[in-house]
Amino acid sequence: MAVLVFPDGLTDCAGLIREARQPVRKQGRKDMTGKIDSHVHICGEDLYPKWRKVIAEAKKKGIEKIMAVCPGPEEARQAVAIAGAEPMVDVAVGFHPNHVLRVSKEMWEEFEELVHLPQIKAVGEIGMDYYSYETVVPQVLQKELFVAQLELAGRCKKPVLVHMRQAAEDTRRYLKGHLKTPGVMHNFHDSCRVMDDFLDMGMYISFSGQILEGPESLREAVRKVPADRLLVETNSPARILDSRCSGLGEGEYLSLIVDEICVLRKMDREELLGAVSDNYKRLFSVDSRN
């Protein structure tokens, strides 16, 4: 597949980032709030064949919203169809850094069209990944695709979902140079020092099951992230290798992550769920009515 020479030119959306940086005033909650899973690959090969079961289980477990994250146009079309039938599902689409070599001109053009749909709430997951896989994607090509997608998100004024693995320095550099809308550091598993840089850019921090087995530096980040920048995800169908997670459905796995965050932050469960719900709806500007 050919790699694109991507378009340039940006809409100035700096005001969105300035707004995201401002602390949110706390308000009393008058109702119970459901759980939100901000990152699920529901249209991937593992979950798509049973997506109705996944949604049904999520509802039974009190999940209010799911962000269906799609690595390309084909899955995005499937997710948009699901969202039409299930209002609890929102959709994000973007090219993962490990998929750069698969991206054709036709795929990019379809992606540019899809991202304007109202069901598409975010661009992602996008980013940088320097892990030593069997097939290594050149860093220069990862950067080209990452920057192009950041700029497209800026023109569309849609948040970004950022993937970062062993690439904190370059991810930070490219975000500082090209981020025009706030977004999410997906599956965050780094330190407070790294987290603070992304918070300063207006980013939200999403924690997954990594916190169940992660180092103390990650657990400290869970304790220190401001409540108005905190999100939670399963990154399903991914699982950590922990006996506590064996055989759990997506809803049960999310509850395990939520409970661990409550313990680390010494925070009431309802308060945490309320904060996460507010953060998600503020960032993605979604209506909570199903």
Side-chain angles (χ1 to χ4, degrees), residues 167-185:
E169 183 176 345
D170 280 351
T171 302
R172 180 169 52 233
R173 180 184 304 120
Y174 303 145
L175 284 175
K176 283 184 177 179
H178 301 277
L179 182 70
K180 298 297 178 182
T181 56
V184 180
M185 298 307 299

Side-chain angles (χ1 to χ4, degrees), residues 1 53 90 106 145 155 212 284:
M1 296 292 187
K53 180 179 179 181
D90 295 321
E106 291 74 21
L145 187 62
R155 293 194 296 273
L212 299 170
F284 299 113

Side-chain angles (χ1 to χ4, degrees), residues 156-227:
C156 297
K157 299 185 179 181
K158 293 197 175 183
V160 293
L161 310 182
V162 176
H163 171 103
M164 178 183 72
R165 189 173 189 187
Q166 298 183 7
E169 183 176 345
D170 280 351
T171 302
R172 180 169 52 233
R173 180 184 304 120
Y174 303 145
L175 284 175
K176 283 184 177 179
H178 301 277
L179 182 70
K180 298 297 178 182
T181 56
V184 180
M185 298 307 299
H186 144 66
N187 190 20
F188 187 82
H189 51 273
D190 219 307
S191 66
C192 284
R193 181 186 63 80
V194 173
M195 179 179 74
D196 287 344
D197 285 340
F198 295 120
L199 289 171
D200 287 344
M201 297 181 208
M203 298 294 284
Y204 289 64
I205 309 297
S206 184
F207 296 104
S208 72
Q210 295 276 354
I211 67 169
L212 299 170
E213 63 173 8
E216 178 57 28
S217 59
L218 172 58
R219 297 166 73 81
E220 185 66 12
V222 175
R223 297 185 189 101
K224 293 295 180 63
V225 64

Side-chain angles (χ1 to χ4, degrees), residues 17-41:
I17 295 180
R18 286 196 298 270
E19 181 180 346
R21 288 174 178 158
Q22 301 303 313
V24 175
R25 296 175 60 186
K26 295 182 179 179
Q27 298 179 348
R29 303 199 64 82
K30 298 180 180 180
D31 57 351
M32 294 292 287
T33 304
K35 296 185 287 290
I36 289 181
D37 191 339
S38 65
H39 201 107
V40 181
H41 294 280

